[in-house]
Amino acid sequence: GDKLKTGRFTVEFYPSEESITALVFDPNTQRIKEFKTLDRFEANPKFALTAKILKFESPEHLDLITGLQRFKKQYRYAKLQFEIDGTELELTAYKHTLDSEVLFIPFTDKTTGKYSYGGGRYLIVKEPEEGDDVDIDFNLVINPLCSYASIYNCIVPTRENKLPIPVLAGVKKYH
């Protein structure tokens, strides 16, 4: 969104079809002063791997539900197939625009709600320029912004992106 800076405050504006959201950021808040770092799982090489990318012939432009019961448009772009500890797995990758180089992969796993954020986590990956292999690293998984503040409107992972294993990698639940 657009930004406006006034004094120590920054205001970010996020327009949608029905409304506009304005977020005010204050770098002097107590939460920021007390913040040290995010808790992460210990990096594990088994969660850095190569997946096979299977692009959909005609990506669907979908309305994905958000935690605030609104919708965000994304293209259902590709399936990523990979293996962890002998278990064959699959996740769907989305794109905001078809010309984007970024693959957005919201998912849940067996850590969701216990060790990681209950609304799922996000894996952001750069699409390969050529070929059908893509490097993915779950050690780089992040929490959606709504895990830190309820004002954010985050996409909820789809049922098809529910992994049947614990992914002990990336950012843990924020306390």
Side-chain angles (χ1 to χ4, degrees):
D2 293 328
K3 291 183 184 182
L4 170 70
K5 188 148 176 62
T6 179
R8 73 172 199 253
F9 299 101
T10 302
V11 182
E12 289 192 25
F13 300 95
Y14 296 94
S16 70
E17 290 180 18
E18 310 87 38
S19 64
I20 186 165
T21 301
L23 302 179
V24 179
F25 296 94
D26 179 359
N28 294 335
T29 63
Q30 196 62 32
R31 282 181 79 181
I32 290 176
K33 289 178 182 179
E34 293 172 356
F35 179 79
K36 303 266 186 284
T37 187
L38 294 172
D39 289 334
R40 304 181 71 80
F41 291 98
E42 188 172 325
N44 187 333
K46 82 174 181 181
F47 291 112
L49 47 98
T50 300
K52 189 71 62 189
I53 183 169
L54 304 167
K55 298 176 190 172
F56 296 118
E57 205 170 292
S58 300
E60 292 177 80
H61 202 208
L62 303 175
D63 284 322
L64 297 182
I65 191 82
T66 69
L68 296 178
Q69 302 302 303
R70 296 184 184 148
F71 295 94
K72 287 189 177 182
K73 293 264 188 205
Q74 293 280 322
Y75 286 95
R76 188 171 177 268
Y77 186 71
K79 287 282 187 188
L80 303 181
Q81 297 176 334
F82 54 96
E83 185 180 304
I84 296 175
D85 288 339
T87 302
E88 292 189 19
L89 302 163
E90 182 175 89
L91 288 171
T92 298
Y94 297 88
K95 282 187 166 190
H96 185 65
T97 61
L98 289 176
D99 59 350
S100 172
E101 297 176 349
V102 176
L103 299 175
F104 169 63
I105 307 150
F107 73 96
T108 59
D109 65 278
K110 292 286 188 183
T111 70
T112 301
K114 187 171 183 178
Y115 303 114
S116 64
Y117 177 59
R121 295 185 287 166
Y122 293 170
L123 179 61
I124 311 295
V125 176
K126 186 172 189 273
E127 182 181 7
E129 291 182 24
E130 56 186 45
D132 59 357
D133 287 338
V134 60
D135 293 326
I136 59 176
D137 188 348
F138 286 97
N139 294 294
L140 303 176
V141 163
I142 60 172
N143 286 328
L145 289 175
C146 52
S147 70
Y148 308 111
S150 60
I151 187 73
Y152 290 104
N153 189 28
C154 302
I155 290 174
V156 175
T158 58
R159 286 188 191 130
E160 68 184 339
N161 276 5
K162 183 177 184 175
L163 294 175
I165 63 163
V167 177
L168 300 168
V171 175
K172 291 182 179 181
K173 185 188 311 187
Y174 184 67
H175 302 285

